[in-house]
Amino acid sequence: MNYDHLLHYLTMPVLWHGLWLAVVIAVCSFGAALVPALLVAIARMSNNALLRGLPTPFIWVMRGTPVLLQLLFWYNVLPLLGLRLSALMTAILGLALNEVAFMAEIFRGGLQSVKRTQRDAAAALGLTPFMVMARVVLPQALRAIAPAMGNEAITVLKNTSLASVITVGELTLTSEQVVSTNFEYVEVFTAAGLLYLLATTAISLAQRYFENRLNYERHTTPLGPRSSAPTADAVGTASTAQARLPLSEAPHPAARPAPSGQTFVEIRHVRKSFHGNLILRDITLKLDQGEMVFLIGPSGSGKTTLLRTINHLESIDSGEILVNGQHIGYRQTSAGLRPSRSAARDRARVGVGMVFQHFNLFDHMTVLENIVEAPIRVHGIDRATAYREARELLAWAGLSEHEQRYPHQLSGGQQQRIAIIRAVATHPKLILFDEPTSALDPELVNEVLVLMRKLAAAGMTMVIVSHEIVFARDWADRIVFMEDGQIVEQGSPSELFNRPKSARTRAFIELVEGRLGHHTEPTPIEAAQ
């Protein structure tokens, strides 16, 4: 090899022009394929069988035939259809269509890697399906998508060499033309290879940059106090009376206001099945405004399913659920209730919050961003007010120093308290708790219970799936025992824990209290009453 000649070809303008053209084709093809690929991926994940199946033939053909053949096909067929494109535009179109099929599968894999619980948490906050995808699912999916997309970008750039077959003067065709005049195959093609390598290396570096940016687990924040403190007159929006209480302090049950007596949640003859298995059997239940109701029962009894039907995270097969006199996810017609597409808007309008067993904070957002997401995006609160109220709530919960941390930097108890704050930040009238302490170490349980006591003392209407018997004894207005999808028995804590009517209820309570080392005698608070 003549290295002087190699250097000459490496600096030859015509080869650099060929590289530039290859990059233009690659960038345009890649960019043009992104949005259609995402839409195809979403269609492939649809619950609608027709929508799910429509892109399948296209993907099958594009992935199963050579790119070279596809370029020749479009170059010769498009003019016959009356669409006369230049060779350059035909190359961009052909490569873009090919990439849609491959990128769609990459997007689909990335979207499916995001846990459903993240979607549920976003939906429970009132985010629309579009917001859920754009704000929660896609940003997290990009972490899994980025490496494969980097590889695909390199593939697109290399595939531009195939455009030479339809006379596009990119780098490969330019190299062949130079060789045809001087026959220095080694030097010319080595120079072309090095130019391709330069471009693909730039893509690899860009890929590494984006991967680091998207890897939120590598994000670090100062572990000291936050830079901006809440205002001196900050008052927690959830409870003005309890806003300044340190977390170590908790209100006494006697400080809790009595339920109003006005029905707030009405469940009428609700039935729900999964894959032919009946989970809820003719459930009828009423909750008053300001009432705290505990749902207890063995695993699989339908407690969580009932909770999720209240805010329409799960649909119902029959029956009716009203929250503050309104339906969520359904509309009343002359033919009866019909599903609507306004479940997210209904949740926001009615004011239903939810706290999940496994926290379900948005992993790619800081604590503060988690809290302000729904107030800003769903409820239209201006950013300054949303951030101020979020900081007030953090101060109320004793978590002010954590506002710039990410969920992975917090303990389980801290994450669950942030999840409660996130629900409270939307100013709900009803909060649903799905076993909020079951995923926590015993030492962390009290942190969460103290915050729930504060909410109870503020008069919040609450439905809680939990086996925290001591907490239920002191704070619940009513205990509902469920088994096999039915309400077996319900009553005040004193009635149900100390004088259960059903033998099955008695056996379950004895089992739970036996494991906790408790007994069924009245607590000091009950005895005083």
Side-chain angles (χ1 to χ4, degrees), residues 120-129 131-132 343-349 352 374 377-379 426:
D120 287 346
L125 289 170
L127 273 68
T128 64
M131 290 179 181
V132 172
R345 186 169 62 248
D346 293 344
R347 293 184 193 104
R349 183 186 71 250
V352 182
R377 306 284 173 183
V378 177
H379 299 275
T426 62

Side-chain angles (χ1 to χ4, degrees), residues 403-424:
E403 69 171 42
Q404 293 302 326
R405 298 184 191 174
Y406 286 85
H408 72 272
Q409 296 176 295
L410 305 175
S411 70
Q414 290 168 341
Q415 290 189 57
Q416 191 63 293
R417 285 150 60 196
I418 297 299
I420 294 173
I421 290 172
R422 183 176 65 178
V424 171

Side-chain angles (χ1 to χ4, degrees), residues 252-253 470 473-474 498 518-529:
H252 190 277
V470 175
R473 277 181 174 275
D474 290 345
N498 299 325
H518 300 137
H519 49 78
T520 57
E521 294 179 3
T523 66
I525 294 173
E526 291 172 335
Q529 294 173 343

